[in-house]
Amino acid sequence: MTAAKAKIVIGSTVILVIVLAAIFAPLIAPHDPYQQQVVFRLKPPVWMTGGSWRFPLGTDSYGRDILSRLIFGSRLSILVGVASVVLSMLIGTTAGVLAGYVGGKTEEVIMRTVDAQTAFPDVLLAILFVAALGGSFFNLIVVLGVSGWMVYARIMFGLTRSLRERPFVEAAVSFGGRSGYIMLRHILPQLVPVLTVVATLQVGQMILQETALSFLGLGVPPPAATWGNILAEGRDRLFLAPWIANSAGIAIVTLVLTINIFGNGLREWLDPKS
């Protein structure tokens, strides 16, 4: 097995386990993630003194089971990451292909817009949007999607410009093919492998941004079980109950790392030079 295939197998296996846990969260989670049991507040995990198998990863300040909140939190984190990537991919791909194929003033307007928005850090731009629109699940997807489309626009612009000069595109033009038809039927299919790799890697980036916004109190409002909210709560109890922040941090690192491993393996596997 090649290194690329090994990365794909390892990454896809871990991602599949996490996704299945998110889908079947009501069946897997040992407790209700929102059930408050003050009598069990700040119970340590099972490997620490005072811990028990009733709460394997311990409890938070309200006596809620950390393991159950992590399992349910994966749902929101994965949904936000995937949905925001789909939105940014649609915006960026449309803009990049249009700018690369049409050129002229259309290219100038789109690419200068990309340059202007790229001048702002992604997280800072997302913070400004969330502060203006308010924190909610839908707003978070829109904010992350709108703040991340420039990556796709730049890549698709460069690829479209090179594809525009290829013989099969020139042949389609000579046979009277319209611009929209050529972009959809001849150029876009050639971009799918690159889009797949970029989108896969961007999912991890979007999950990190969602976590950062939730950590700053600008994500999905508490008591929603998201990894960012769990991490934010653990920040205030870092020395008293370090297992809260540590559990969320390990979950985030594991998912993002495996997504990046899978994306890199996919890139190497699809690269004709490899």
Side-chain angles (χ1 to χ4, degrees):
M1 182 181 292
T2 63
K5 289 184 178 180
K7 291 179 181 178
I8 293 174
V9 171
I10 294 172
S12 60
T13 301
V14 178
I15 292 170
L16 181 62
V17 170
I18 296 175
V19 170
L20 288 177
I23 293 173
F24 298 104
L27 302 176
I28 297 174
H31 300 277
D32 183 345
Y34 301 105
Q35 182 183 5
Q36 299 183 15
Q37 305 176 77
V38 181
V39 69
F40 296 118
R41 67 188 300 269
L42 299 180
K43 280 285 185 181
V46 67
W47 58 85
M48 296 179 64
T49 304
S52 69
W53 284 104
R54 182 174 183 178
F55 306 106
L57 297 182
T59 61
D60 61 12
S61 304
Y62 300 97
R64 297 172 298 192
D65 181 47
I66 297 296
L67 177 59
S68 300
R69 289 182 64 78
L70 285 176
I71 293 173
F72 274 87
S74 63
R75 284 180 156 187
L76 289 177
S77 296
I78 293 173
L79 279 175
V80 169
V82 173
S84 57
V85 162
V86 171
L87 178 60
S88 59
M89 181 173 62
L90 289 175
I91 298 173
T93 301
T94 302
V97 172
L98 196 62
Y101 185 79
V102 177
K105 292 183 178 180
T106 302
E107 174 187 336
E108 286 296 319
V109 171
I110 293 175
M111 298 314 296
R112 296 299 75 77
T113 303
V114 170
D115 293 338
Q117 190 165 336
T118 306
F120 293 92
D122 291 346
V123 175
L124 178 59
L125 193 62
I127 290 173
L128 294 175
F129 283 157
V130 171
L133 298 176
S136 70
F137 178 74
F138 178 76
N139 287 348
L140 197 59
I141 292 173
V142 173
V143 165
L144 293 177
V146 171
S147 65
W149 67 277
M150 302 87 66
V151 175
Y152 301 92
R154 284 187 179 279
I155 295 174
M156 296 305 108
F157 169 71
L159 293 175
T160 302
R161 288 196 67 176
S162 64
L163 289 172
R164 188 177 59 181
E165 310 299 328
R166 296 287 182 87
F168 64 89
V169 175
E170 293 178 350
V173 173
S174 65
F175 277 100
R178 295 183 178 181
S179 297
Y181 174 83
I182 294 173
M183 285 187 284
L184 286 174
R185 295 296 300 271
H186 294 280
I187 292 180
L188 192 58
Q190 306 296 319
L191 305 177
V192 169
V194 178
L195 271 176
T196 303
V197 174
V198 175
T200 302
L201 294 172
Q202 283 296 108
V203 170
Q205 182 67 26
M206 291 300 181
I207 291 175
L208 286 177
Q209 290 195 17
E210 181 273 329
T211 303
L213 291 175
S214 297
F215 183 79
L216 296 173
L218 297 173
V220 182
T226 68
W227 289 351
N229 286 343
I230 298 172
L231 194 64
E233 183 184 353
R235 171 192 57 193
D236 301 328
R237 306 282 182 180
L238 193 57
F239 297 103
L240 179 62
W243 59 84
I244 301 175
N246 291 343
S247 299
I250 291 172
I252 294 166
V253 169
T254 300
L255 179 57
V256 174
L257 179 62
T258 51
I259 289 174
N260 287 338
I261 290 173
F262 176 75
N264 285 327
L266 200 61
R267 176 183 58 80
E268 294 173 7
W269 185 54
L270 294 173
D271 187 359
K273 296 179 181 178
S274 298

